[in-house]
Amino acid sequence: MLVKTNLKDSKLYQAYLAKTPASALRFRRAQELFPSGVTHYGRHLRPYPLFVSRAKGSRKWDVDGNEYVDYFGGHGALILGHSHPAIVEAVQQQMARGTHYGAEHDLEIEWATLIREMVPGAETLRFTSSGTEATHLALRLARAHARKPKLIRFAGHFHGWHDHVAFGAQGPGINAPAGILKEVVEQVIVVEPNDVGTVERILAERNDIAALMLEPTGASFGRVPTGGETLRRLRELTTRHGVVLIFDEVVTGFRVSPGGAQSHYRVLPDLTTLAKVVAGGLPGALVTGRSDIFSSMDFGGDDEKTVDPAVPHQGTFNASPLSAAAGVAALGLLKDGAAISAANETAAKIRDGMNAVLRKRGASWCVYGEFSAVHIFTNPHRESITPRDILDGRVYWKTLKSGATPELVHKIRLGFLCQGVDVNGWPGGQTSAVHDGDDVDRTVVAFEEVLKQLAEEGDLD
Ligand code: PMP
């Protein structure tokens, strides 16, 4: 076996430096401005991230003018691709009519009505600006409703970065990031993903659980898959114990199906969080669910005396007219399911193409996922594992979630970028309805080349 080439000496790294000098220049300035020169944890890349100047459809172009097939997809928001004409038009029109009224408006009603028509569990809604805010609000509503303190979550499931969810989500460790009070951490019980037995035991033994929150297709859009049967058992348990079941559909909403994972699996949560696709690529999110749980947000009293809600909720950009305009345009295009099916079919073709390349090389890696997800599994223990094994839950979640070292992920990403493809750090990506056959072909050819180079550097069996 070859000795692994370290990142800096890697040909992939050197090729990236040669291809992206203008990004390097920007990065020097960015480092003076932002922690590690980036504006999002997930955009960190060594030696430096790509600086992009323009995007359209399935492609984006960096500041050197290089073109990339994009699977970051606006962190999953862009199921209709970059700058879909209908969304651009809707936002431009709204821009001229005002970006913020400091008042209620028609578009928010239209947006909410569409969401309610599409998502089975949507009764009452409250818009927020981000998915993080949505999961935060959902948790607060659940606690106010149940009058109990604790939250059960699954390790590896990501729900944003607020204090109650920012630990146990990224990788296998469940150490809380600095700055989070241990008193908050103590209110959250993190269970191994899909461990319904432990959830059952906790609910039977304790009477202080307000809510159970999970990503319904499993951690990171099915990187650690959770099937419908698990969802049904969790629904049954939470109903029996009066625990609020929260589906975090920030990624899966309007992506797994027009009604999200809850519609696909026919399991109704009590609360749902939505973001990303729902706002058509602009910032926007919401919590929706059972009206009785939202009653804590109602003002009380009468004409004589107003009583504050038990759960007051503000937010300058809640239901922003621009986001509402983009959201209405996007959901109108997604409603019949055709665009979602197109994205799913493309992802399946990419997974198949990449697996064929792996088989040809005799490599132990595999590419898996459902719906519009593409997950590259780098099989750290070189076991005999197929995509079916993973989907059927036969591979340990820690192996799936962080099997690849950060150095290997950097090499994979740099290798792809040098071949004109941008994948995220799962490693993998999400397809859109506008990725086409040419994108698929380029991606599979790029993967073949990346594997060849990784093999030369001792990173592939
Ligand atoms: N929940 C899930 C499942 C997510 O994937 C994300 C974002 N990746 C969030 C919540 C947080 O959303 P936001 O980035 O809009 O705060």
Side-chain angles (χ1 to χ4, degrees), residues 114-167:
L114 262 171
I115 295 163
R116 226 166 57 160
E117 281 166 16
M118 293 168 78
V119 180
E123 284 178 19
T124 300
L125 308 86
R126 173 55 70 97
F127 289 106
T128 64
S129 292
S130 69
T132 296
E133 288 174 57
T135 62
H136 200 174
L137 178 60
L139 174 58
R140 192 175 296 170
L141 283 170
R143 282 183 171 143
H145 174 80
R147 296 174 197 275
K148 292 174 184 172
K150 288 202 161 47
L151 167 70
I152 300 180
R153 290 200 286 110
F154 287 124
H157 287 219
F158 185 70
H159 304 294
W161 58 268
H162 63 79
D163 287 4
H164 290 88
V165 297
F167 52 95

Short mmCIF file of all heavy atoms in Angstrom, two decimals, residues 114-167:
data_model
loop_
_atom_site.label_atom_id
_atom_site.label_comp_id
_atom_site.label_asym_id
_atom_site.label_seq_id
_atom_site.Cartn_x
_atom_site.Cartn_y
_atom_site.Cartn_z
N LEU A 114 -50.16 28.11 0.56
CA LEU A 114 -49.51 27.08 -0.27
C LEU A 114 -48.85 26.01 0.61
O LEU A 114 -48.97 24.82 0.36
CB LEU A 114 -48.41 27.73 -1.11
CG LEU A 114 -48.74 28.09 -2.55
CD1 LEU A 114 -47.59 28.92 -3.14
CD2 LEU A 114 -48.95 26.83 -3.39
N ILE A 115 -48.15 26.47 1.64
CA ILE A 115 -47.46 25.52 2.54
C ILE A 115 -48.49 24.61 3.20
O ILE A 115 -48.31 23.39 3.29
CB ILE A 115 -46.64 26.29 3.60
CG1 ILE A 115 -45.50 27.07 2.93
CG2 ILE A 115 -46.07 25.33 4.66
CD1 ILE A 115 -44.88 28.16 3.79
N ARG A 116 -49.59 25.19 3.61
CA ARG A 116 -50.62 24.40 4.28
C ARG A 116 -51.27 23.39 3.33
O ARG A 116 -51.60 22.28 3.72
CB ARG A 116 -51.68 25.31 4.88
CG ARG A 116 -51.99 24.85 6.29
CD ARG A 116 -52.74 25.79 7.09
NE ARG A 116 -54.00 26.18 6.49
CZ ARG A 116 -54.99 26.70 7.19
NH1 ARG A 116 -54.85 26.85 8.49
NH2 ARG A 116 -56.08 27.08 6.62
N GLU A 117 -51.40 23.80 2.07
CA GLU A 117 -51.96 22.86 1.09
C GLU A 117 -51.02 21.69 0.84
O GLU A 117 -51.44 20.58 0.55
CB GLU A 117 -52.20 23.58 -0.25
CG GLU A 117 -53.45 24.42 -0.26
CD GLU A 117 -53.47 25.38 -1.46
OE1 GLU A 117 -52.68 25.18 -2.42
OE2 GLU A 117 -54.25 26.33 -1.40
N MET A 118 -49.72 21.95 0.95
CA MET A 118 -48.74 20.93 0.55
C MET A 118 -48.29 20.04 1.71
O MET A 118 -48.06 18.85 1.53
CB MET A 118 -47.52 21.62 -0.08
CG MET A 118 -47.84 22.29 -1.42
SD MET A 118 -46.55 23.40 -2.03
CE MET A 118 -45.36 22.25 -2.70
N VAL A 119 -48.12 20.59 2.90
CA VAL A 119 -47.51 19.84 4.01
C VAL A 119 -48.62 19.33 4.94
O VAL A 119 -49.36 20.12 5.53
CB VAL A 119 -46.54 20.76 4.81
CG1 VAL A 119 -45.92 19.99 5.97
CG2 VAL A 119 -45.47 21.32 3.88
N PRO A 120 -48.74 18.00 5.07
CA PRO A 120 -49.89 17.45 5.82
C PRO A 120 -50.02 17.97 7.25
O PRO A 120 -51.13 18.23 7.71
CB PRO A 120 -49.60 15.94 5.84
CG PRO A 120 -48.68 15.70 4.69
CD PRO A 120 -47.90 16.95 4.48
N GLY A 121 -48.90 18.14 7.96
CA GLY A 121 -48.98 18.53 9.37
C GLY A 121 -49.14 20.02 9.59
O GLY A 121 -49.15 20.49 10.74
N ALA A 122 -49.26 20.81 8.52
CA ALA A 122 -49.29 22.27 8.67
C ALA A 122 -50.70 22.77 8.97
O ALA A 122 -51.58 22.69 8.12
CB ALA A 122 -48.75 22.93 7.41
N GLU A 123 -50.88 23.25 10.20
CA GLU A 123 -52.17 23.90 10.52
C GLU A 123 -51.92 25.39 10.73
O GLU A 123 -52.32 26.22 9.94
CB GLU A 123 -52.75 23.29 11.81
CG GLU A 123 -53.36 21.91 11.62
CD GLU A 123 -53.88 21.31 12.93
OE1 GLU A 123 -54.11 22.05 13.91
OE2 GLU A 123 -54.04 20.09 12.97
N THR A 124 -51.20 25.70 11.81
CA THR A 124 -50.84 27.09 12.08
C THR A 124 -49.36 27.26 11.75
O THR A 124 -48.58 26.29 11.84
CB THR A 124 -51.10 27.40 13.57
OG1 THR A 124 -52.49 27.18 13.83
CG2 THR A 124 -50.75 28.84 13.92
N LEU A 125 -48.96 28.46 11.36
CA LEU A 125 -47.56 28.68 10.96
C LEU A 125 -47.01 29.94 11.61
O LEU A 125 -47.76 30.89 11.86
CB LEU A 125 -47.43 28.88 9.45
CG LEU A 125 -48.04 27.87 8.48
CD1 LEU A 125 -49.49 28.18 8.21
CD2 LEU A 125 -47.27 27.90 7.17
N ARG A 126 -45.70 29.96 11.82
CA ARG A 126 -45.02 31.20 12.19
C ARG A 126 -43.70 31.24 11.41
O ARG A 126 -42.89 30.33 11.51
CB ARG A 126 -44.76 31.26 13.69
CG ARG A 126 -43.90 32.44 14.14
CD ARG A 126 -44.41 33.82 13.69
NE ARG A 126 -45.62 34.28 14.32
CZ ARG A 126 -45.69 35.11 15.36
NH1 ARG A 126 -44.57 35.58 15.90
NH2 ARG A 126 -46.85 35.47 15.85
N PHE A 127 -43.53 32.31 10.63
CA PHE A 127 -42.30 32.44 9.85
C PHE A 127 -41.14 32.94 10.72
O PHE A 127 -41.34 33.72 11.66
CB PHE A 127 -42.51 33.42 8.69
CG PHE A 127 -43.39 32.86 7.60
CD1 PHE A 127 -44.69 33.31 7.45
CD2 PHE A 127 -42.92 31.88 6.75
CE1 PHE A 127 -45.51 32.79 6.45
CE2 PHE A 127 -43.73 31.34 5.75
CZ PHE A 127 -45.03 31.80 5.60
N THR A 128 -39.94 32.48 10.37
CA THR A 128 -38.69 32.97 10.97
C THR A 128 -37.73 33.26 9.81
O THR A 128 -38.11 33.11 8.65
CB THR A 128 -38.06 31.92 11.90
OG1 THR A 128 -37.69 30.77 11.11
CG2 THR A 128 -39.01 31.47 13.01
N SER A 129 -36.50 33.66 10.14
CA SER A 129 -35.55 33.96 9.06
C SER A 129 -34.67 32.78 8.69
O SER A 129 -34.12 32.74 7.59
CB SER A 129 -34.65 35.13 9.47
OG SER A 129 -35.41 36.31 9.55
N SER A 130 -34.45 31.86 9.62
CA SER A 130 -33.52 30.75 9.34
C SER A 130 -34.04 29.46 9.97
O SER A 130 -34.91 29.49 10.86
CB SER A 130 -32.15 31.06 9.94
OG SER A 130 -32.22 31.02 11.35
N GLY A 131 -33.47 28.36 9.51
CA GLY A 131 -33.84 27.07 10.06
C GLY A 131 -33.47 26.96 11.53
O GLY A 131 -34.19 26.33 12.32
N THR A 132 -32.36 27.57 11.90
CA THR A 132 -31.94 27.56 13.30
C THR A 132 -33.00 28.22 14.18
O THR A 132 -33.38 27.69 15.23
CB THR A 132 -30.59 28.30 13.46
OG1 THR A 132 -29.60 27.58 12.73
CG2 THR A 132 -30.17 28.43 14.91
N GLU A 133 -33.49 29.35 13.72
CA GLU A 133 -34.55 30.02 14.49
C GLU A 133 -35.80 29.15 14.55
O GLU A 133 -36.52 29.15 15.56
CB GLU A 133 -34.91 31.35 13.83
CG GLU A 133 -33.86 32.41 13.97
CD GLU A 133 -34.25 33.64 13.16
OE1 GLU A 133 -35.33 34.20 13.38
OE2 GLU A 133 -33.46 34.02 12.28
N ALA A 134 -36.06 28.43 13.47
CA ALA A 134 -37.28 27.61 13.44
C ALA A 134 -37.18 26.46 14.45
O ALA A 134 -38.14 26.20 15.19
CB ALA A 134 -37.49 27.07 12.03
N THR A 135 -36.03 25.78 14.51
CA THR A 135 -35.93 24.68 15.48
C THR A 135 -35.93 25.22 16.91
O THR A 135 -36.43 24.58 17.83
CB THR A 135 -34.69 23.79 15.24
OG1 THR A 135 -33.50 24.56 15.40
CG2 THR A 135 -34.71 23.16 13.85
N HIS A 136 -35.37 26.41 17.07
CA HIS A 136 -35.36 27.04 18.40
C HIS A 136 -36.79 27.34 18.86
O HIS A 136 -37.19 27.03 19.99
CB HIS A 136 -34.53 28.33 18.32
CG HIS A 136 -34.05 28.82 19.63
ND1 HIS A 136 -33.19 29.89 19.76
CD2 HIS A 136 -34.30 28.41 20.88
CE1 HIS A 136 -32.94 30.09 21.03
NE2 HIS A 136 -33.61 29.22 21.74
N LEU A 137 -37.55 27.92 17.95
CA LEU A 137 -38.94 28.27 18.29
C LEU A 137 -39.78 27.00 18.51
O LEU A 137 -40.61 26.96 19.43
CB LEU A 137 -39.55 29.14 17.18
CG LEU A 137 -41.02 29.54 17.38
CD1 LEU A 137 -41.22 30.34 18.66
CD2 LEU A 137 -41.52 30.34 16.17
N ALA A 138 -39.55 26.00 17.67
CA ALA A 138 -40.32 24.75 17.82
C ALA A 138 -40.10 24.16 19.20
O ALA A 138 -41.04 23.70 19.87
CB ALA A 138 -39.91 23.75 16.74
N LEU A 139 -38.85 24.19 19.64
CA LEU A 139 -38.54 23.64 20.95
C LEU A 139 -39.22 24.45 22.06
O LEU A 139 -39.79 23.89 23.00
CB LEU A 139 -37.01 23.63 21.14
CG LEU A 139 -36.50 23.22 22.50
CD1 LEU A 139 -36.99 21.83 22.87
CD2 LEU A 139 -34.97 23.25 22.51
N ARG A 140 -39.19 25.77 21.90
CA ARG A 140 -39.82 26.60 22.94
C ARG A 140 -41.33 26.35 22.98
O ARG A 140 -41.93 26.24 24.06
CB ARG A 140 -39.53 28.08 22.67
CG ARG A 140 -39.91 28.93 23.87
CD ARG A 140 -39.53 30.38 23.70
NE ARG A 140 -38.08 30.57 23.61
CZ ARG A 140 -37.53 31.73 23.27
NH1 ARG A 140 -38.27 32.78 22.99
NH2 ARG A 140 -36.23 31.85 23.21
N LEU A 141 -41.93 26.23 21.81
CA LEU A 141 -43.38 25.96 21.76
C LEU A 141 -43.70 24.62 22.40
O LEU A 141 -44.69 24.49 23.15
CB LEU A 141 -43.85 25.93 20.29
CG LEU A 141 -44.02 27.27 19.60
CD1 LEU A 141 -44.25 27.06 18.11
CD2 LEU A 141 -45.18 28.04 20.21
N ALA A 142 -42.86 23.64 22.13
CA ALA A 142 -43.11 22.30 22.69
C ALA A 142 -43.01 22.34 24.20
O ALA A 142 -43.84 21.74 24.91
CB ALA A 142 -42.10 21.31 22.11
N ARG A 143 -42.03 23.04 24.72
CA ARG A 143 -41.87 23.13 26.19
C ARG A 143 -43.03 23.88 26.82
O ARG A 143 -43.54 23.48 27.87
CB ARG A 143 -40.57 23.86 26.53
CG ARG A 143 -39.36 22.97 26.38
CD ARG A 143 -38.12 23.74 26.81
NE ARG A 143 -36.99 22.84 26.89
CZ ARG A 143 -35.75 23.17 26.54
NH1 ARG A 143 -35.49 24.39 26.10
NH2 ARG A 143 -34.79 22.31 26.64
N ALA A 144 -43.43 24.95 26.16
CA ALA A 144 -44.54 25.73 26.72
C ALA A 144 -45.81 24.89 26.73
O ALA A 144 -46.61 24.96 27.67
CB ALA A 144 -44.75 27.00 25.88
N HIS A 145 -45.99 24.09 25.69
CA HIS A 145 -47.18 23.25 25.58
C HIS A 145 -47.16 22.11 26.59
O HIS A 145 -48.14 21.87 27.31
CB HIS A 145 -47.26 22.69 24.15
CG HIS A 145 -48.35 21.70 23.95
ND1 HIS A 145 -49.67 22.07 23.75
CD2 HIS A 145 -48.34 20.34 23.92
CE1 HIS A 145 -50.40 21.00 23.60
NE2 HIS A 145 -49.63 19.93 23.71
N ALA A 146 -46.02 21.43 26.66
CA ALA A 146 -45.94 20.24 27.53
C ALA A 146 -45.70 20.61 28.99
O ALA A 146 -45.92 19.79 29.88
CB ALA A 146 -44.81 19.32 27.03
N ARG A 147 -45.22 21.82 29.20
CA ARG A 147 -44.81 22.27 30.54
C ARG A 147 -43.79 21.30 31.15
O ARG A 147 -43.87 20.92 32.32
CB ARG A 147 -46.02 22.41 31.47
CG ARG A 147 -46.99 23.48 31.03
CD ARG A 147 -48.23 23.48 31.89
NE ARG A 147 -49.30 24.21 31.26
CZ ARG A 147 -49.48 25.54 31.33
NH1 ARG A 147 -48.65 26.27 32.01
NH2 ARG A 147 -50.49 26.11 30.72
N LYS A 148 -42.88 20.89 30.31
CA LYS A 148 -41.78 20.02 30.73
C LYS A 148 -40.50 20.54 30.09
O LYS A 148 -40.54 21.21 29.06
CB LYS A 148 -42.05 18.58 30.28
CG LYS A 148 -43.23 17.94 31.01
CD LYS A 148 -43.57 16.59 30.44
CE LYS A 148 -44.82 16.07 31.16
NZ LYS A 148 -45.31 14.85 30.55
N PRO A 149 -39.34 20.20 30.67
CA PRO A 149 -38.11 20.86 30.21
C PRO A 149 -37.32 20.15 29.11
O PRO A 149 -36.62 20.79 28.33
CB PRO A 149 -37.26 20.92 31.48
CG PRO A 149 -37.68 19.72 32.27
CD PRO A 149 -39.13 19.49 31.95
N LYS A 150 -37.38 18.85 29.02
CA LYS A 150 -36.30 18.17 28.30
C LYS A 150 -36.63 17.83 26.84
O LYS A 150 -37.77 17.58 26.47
CB LYS A 150 -35.90 16.89 29.05
CG LYS A 150 -35.14 17.21 30.34
CD LYS A 150 -34.29 16.07 30.81
CE LYS A 150 -33.22 16.47 31.79
NZ LYS A 150 -33.62 17.33 32.88
N LEU A 151 -35.53 17.79 26.07
CA LEU A 151 -35.61 17.46 24.65
C LEU A 151 -34.81 16.19 24.39
O LEU A 151 -33.69 16.06 24.89
CB LEU A 151 -35.02 18.63 23.83
CG LEU A 151 -34.74 18.35 22.34
CD1 LEU A 151 -36.04 18.21 21.56
CD2 LEU A 151 -33.89 19.49 21.74
N ILE A 152 -35.37 15.28 23.61
CA ILE A 152 -34.58 14.14 23.14
C ILE A 152 -34.21 14.41 21.68
O ILE A 152 -35.06 14.81 20.87
CB ILE A 152 -35.37 12.80 23.21
CG1 ILE A 152 -35.80 12.50 24.65
CG2 ILE A 152 -34.54 11.65 22.66
CD1 ILE A 152 -36.59 11.19 24.80
N ARG A 153 -32.94 14.21 21.38
CA ARG A 153 -32.46 14.34 19.99
C ARG A 153 -31.66 13.09 19.64
O ARG A 153 -31.23 12.35 20.52
CB ARG A 153 -31.52 15.55 19.86
CG ARG A 153 -32.16 16.89 19.98
CD ARG A 153 -31.26 17.96 19.35
NE ARG A 153 -30.10 18.29 20.15
CZ ARG A 153 -28.84 17.97 19.83
NH1 ARG A 153 -28.56 17.27 18.76
NH2 ARG A 153 -27.85 18.35 20.61
N PHE A 154 -31.39 12.92 18.35
CA PHE A 154 -30.53 11.82 17.91
C PHE A 154 -29.14 12.35 17.56
O PHE A 154 -29.03 13.38 16.88
CB PHE A 154 -31.13 11.11 16.69
CG PHE A 154 -32.32 10.26 17.03
CD1 PHE A 154 -33.53 10.45 16.40
CD2 PHE A 154 -32.21 9.25 17.98
CE1 PHE A 154 -34.63 9.66 16.72
CE2 PHE A 154 -33.30 8.46 18.30
CZ PHE A 154 -34.51 8.67 17.67
N ALA A 155 -28.12 11.66 18.00
CA ALA A 155 -26.74 12.05 17.67
C ALA A 155 -26.58 12.08 16.15
O ALA A 155 -27.10 11.22 15.44
CB ALA A 155 -25.77 11.06 18.29
N GLY A 156 -25.86 13.07 15.70
CA GLY A 156 -25.60 13.19 14.26
C GLY A 156 -26.66 13.97 13.51
O GLY A 156 -26.39 14.48 12.43
N HIS A 157 -27.86 14.08 14.08
CA HIS A 157 -28.91 14.86 13.41
C HIS A 157 -28.64 16.34 13.61
O HIS A 157 -28.36 16.78 14.72
CB HIS A 157 -30.30 14.51 13.97
CG HIS A 157 -30.78 13.16 13.54
ND1 HIS A 157 -32.10 12.91 13.20
CD2 HIS A 157 -30.13 11.98 13.38
CE1 HIS A 157 -32.23 11.64 12.85
NE2 HIS A 157 -31.05 11.05 12.97
N PHE A 158 -28.73 17.09 12.53
CA PHE A 158 -28.37 18.50 12.59
C PHE A 158 -29.63 19.36 12.60
O PHE A 158 -30.53 19.18 11.78
CB PHE A 158 -27.51 18.88 11.37
CG PHE A 158 -27.00 20.28 11.40
CD1 PHE A 158 -26.03 20.66 12.31
CD2 PHE A 158 -27.52 21.25 10.54
CE1 PHE A 158 -25.56 21.97 12.36
CE2 PHE A 158 -27.05 22.57 10.59
CZ PHE A 158 -26.08 22.92 11.50
N HIS A 159 -29.66 20.31 13.54
CA HIS A 159 -30.84 21.18 13.64
C HIS A 159 -30.47 22.65 13.74
O HIS A 159 -31.23 23.44 14.29
CB HIS A 159 -31.68 20.78 14.86
CG HIS A 159 -32.09 19.33 14.87
ND1 HIS A 159 -32.95 18.80 13.94
CD2 HIS A 159 -31.72 18.30 15.67
CE1 HIS A 159 -33.11 17.50 14.18
NE2 HIS A 159 -32.37 17.17 15.22
N GLY A 160 -29.26 23.01 13.26
CA GLY A 160 -28.84 24.41 13.36
C GLY A 160 -27.85 24.59 14.49
O GLY A 160 -27.28 23.62 15.00
N TRP A 161 -27.63 25.83 14.88
CA TRP A 161 -26.51 26.10 15.79
C TRP A 161 -26.90 26.73 17.13
O TRP A 161 -26.03 27.14 17.89
CB TRP A 161 -25.46 26.95 15.07
CG TRP A 161 -25.98 28.26 14.56
CD1 TRP A 161 -26.49 28.50 13.32
CD2 TRP A 161 -26.04 29.50 15.27
NE1 TRP A 161 -26.88 29.81 13.21
CE2 TRP A 161 -26.61 30.45 14.39
CE3 TRP A 161 -25.67 29.90 16.55
CZ2 TRP A 161 -26.82 31.77 14.78
CZ3 TRP A 161 -25.89 31.23 16.93
CH2 TRP A 161 -26.45 32.13 16.03
N HIS A 162 -28.19 26.80 17.44
CA HIS A 162 -28.53 27.39 18.75
C HIS A 162 -28.15 26.43 19.88
O HIS A 162 -27.85 25.24 19.65
CB HIS A 162 -30.00 27.82 18.82
CG HIS A 162 -31.00 26.73 18.70
ND1 HIS A 162 -31.32 25.90 19.74
CD2 HIS A 162 -31.76 26.32 17.65
CE1 HIS A 162 -32.23 25.03 19.34
NE2 HIS A 162 -32.51 25.27 18.08
N ASP A 163 -28.19 26.95 21.10
CA ASP A 163 -27.56 26.24 22.22
C ASP A 163 -28.09 24.83 22.47
O ASP A 163 -27.35 23.97 22.93
CB ASP A 163 -27.71 27.07 23.51
CG ASP A 163 -26.80 28.29 23.51
OD1 ASP A 163 -26.12 28.53 22.49
OD2 ASP A 163 -26.77 29.01 24.54
N HIS A 164 -29.35 24.59 22.17
CA HIS A 164 -29.92 23.28 22.50
C HIS A 164 -29.59 22.19 21.50
O HIS A 164 -29.83 21.01 21.75
CB HIS A 164 -31.45 23.37 22.64
CG HIS A 164 -31.88 24.12 23.85
ND1 HIS A 164 -32.05 25.48 23.86
CD2 HIS A 164 -32.12 23.70 25.11
CE1 HIS A 164 -32.40 25.87 25.06
NE2 HIS A 164 -32.46 24.82 25.85
N VAL A 165 -29.09 22.61 20.35
CA VAL A 165 -28.89 21.60 19.28
C VAL A 165 -27.47 21.58 18.72
O VAL A 165 -27.16 20.76 17.86
CB VAL A 165 -29.89 21.83 18.12
CG1 VAL A 165 -31.31 21.65 18.59
CG2 VAL A 165 -29.71 23.21 17.48
N ALA A 166 -26.61 22.47 19.23
CA ALA A 166 -25.29 22.62 18.60
C ALA A 166 -24.28 21.57 19.05
O ALA A 166 -23.12 21.65 18.67
CB ALA A 166 -24.74 24.03 18.87
N PHE A 167 -24.68 20.63 19.82
CA PHE A 167 -23.74 19.58 20.24
C PHE A 167 -24.31 18.22 19.87
O PHE A 167 -25.53 18.05 19.77
CB PHE A 167 -23.46 19.66 21.75
CG PHE A 167 -24.71 19.67 22.59
CD1 PHE A 167 -25.22 18.50 23.11
CD2 PHE A 167 -25.39 20.86 22.83
CE1 PHE A 167 -26.38 18.50 23.86
CE2 PHE A 167 -26.56 20.87 23.57
CZ PHE A 167 -27.06 19.69 24.08
#
